[in-house]
Amino acid sequence: MKQIIILISVIAISFILLSFIKKNKKMKIYNITDDLLKHDTKTYSKRNLNQIDTIVVHHSATETGSAESYARYHVNNRGWAGIGYHFVIDQDGKINQTNELDTISYHASNWNTRSIGICLTGNFDNQILNGNNLDSLVYLIKKLKLDLKKELNIIGHRDVANKSCPGNNISIELIKKLTEWNSMRIEKHYFVIDTFEVFLRTLYLNNLN
Ligand SMILES: [Zn+2]
């Protein structure tokens, strides 16, 4: 009897420790703003950070791509001052900061002055978010709310433009839910996913698979 109790205790403690390890994922934002192509003569206007109240989520609408390639496209083909987005999240979840937050870059007509543009590499009309890029998007939005010390409205590009961007397989409602709860629980770059978030995330990934 005593052995069984010890055995159960050991299993329970291992389970708790394992789940704790699983829930702590190291997150980092790589600021590559200075490495990206900029226009020779044009520059974007600047803003005060308190003008920001919205996050606009985009996708690249391409299976592959990178912050470098979007910067080249926006400068060379669109004639913009630099890359349009503030952040680019790679397929593997790497978070790149591509503009400073006080830069009014171009990513959503009429919404640029008040918003931060986040682009997920991928075509989410066909693909679905994998665990890595979804975690990164949720972490980044939570971190921005914490850094700016305010609640931010989250919209998809399609909400303010006649496009499917960020793709029909991305539910902005879900992203809102995932970033609403426990938004203060980011400590030292560790992103704590609670049980309810894991449940929602699993539901999302499975529903679309
Ligand atoms: Zn877009």
Side-chain angles (χ1 to χ4, degrees):
M1 192 58 196
K2 203 178 165 189
Q3 283 165 323
I4 293 172
I5 292 170
I6 292 170
L7 185 68
I8 291 171
S9 309
V10 168
I11 292 170
I13 291 166
S14 316
F15 185 76
I16 292 165
L17 284 176
L18 264 175
S19 61
F20 185 75
I21 292 164
K22 252 174 73 181
K23 282 176 194 168
N24 287 295
K25 189 172 176 179
K26 186 110 171 73
M27 302 299 249
K28 190 174 187 317
I29 297 171
Y30 296 85
N31 192 327
I32 58 165
T33 303
D34 293 337
D35 306 333
L36 300 174
L37 181 68
K38 306 275 190 300
H39 197 279
D40 286 340
T41 52
K42 296 177 189 171
T43 48
Y44 283 129
S45 305
K46 292 285 181 178
R47 64 184 166 194
N48 194 304
L49 293 184
N50 62 26
Q51 289 177 269
I52 301 170
D53 65 5
T54 301
I55 289 175
V56 182
V57 182
H58 301 265
H59 69 158
S60 64
T62 53
E63 304 276 321
T64 57
S66 63
E68 288 79 6
S69 63
Y70 312 144
R72 280 196 298 272
Y73 182 76
H74 290 166
V75 172
N76 295 333
N77 299 60
R78 300 279 183 94
W80 295 350
I83 188 170
Y85 313 115
H86 292 90
F87 295 91
V88 171
I89 298 177
D90 299 338
Q91 297 260 22
D92 65 3
K94 186 187 171 211
I95 306 171
N96 306 283
Q97 180 163 3
T98 55
N99 268 308
E100 298 306 328
L101 292 182
D102 64 354
T103 299
I104 307 177
S105 53
Y106 301 159
H107 60 93
S109 296
N110 301 320
W111 285 75
N112 293 319
T113 306
R114 62 192 290 184
S115 69
I116 296 169
I118 302 176
C119 177
L120 295 149
T121 289
N123 184 336
F124 299 99
D125 281 328
N126 310 322
Q127 298 166 255
I128 62 153
L129 288 168
N130 58 52
N132 290 330
N133 50 15
L134 177 59
D135 282 352
S136 296
L137 179 64
V138 170
Y139 166 80
L140 177 58
I141 292 174
K142 286 184 173 188
K143 179 124 187 5
L144 288 169
K145 288 184 187 186
L146 273 181
D147 289 351
L148 295 171
K149 299 183 180 65
K150 65 163 117 172
E151 193 55 45
L152 295 166
N153 184 28
I154 302 159
I155 60 174
H157 193 191
R158 62 170 175 253
D159 296 321
V160 294
N162 188 20
K163 295 169 181 264
S164 69
C165 181
N168 293 317
N169 293 339
I170 291 184
S171 160
I172 296 296
E173 285 311 306
L174 178 77
I175 303 297
K176 276 187 193 169
K177 285 199 177 80
L178 288 174
T179 53
E180 241 166 42
W181 288 303
N182 302 303
S183 56
M184 305 311 280
R185 293 179 61 192
I186 302 174
E187 289 158 36
K188 293 177 185 161
H189 302 291
Y190 283 91
F191 168 41
V192 183
I193 309 171
D194 77 7
T195 317
F196 194 62
E197 288 176 352
V198 170
F199 169 73
L200 280 175
R201 185 175 171 282
T202 311
L203 205 70
Y204 168 80
L205 292 171
N206 290 334
N207 260 350
L208 291 163
N209 255 325

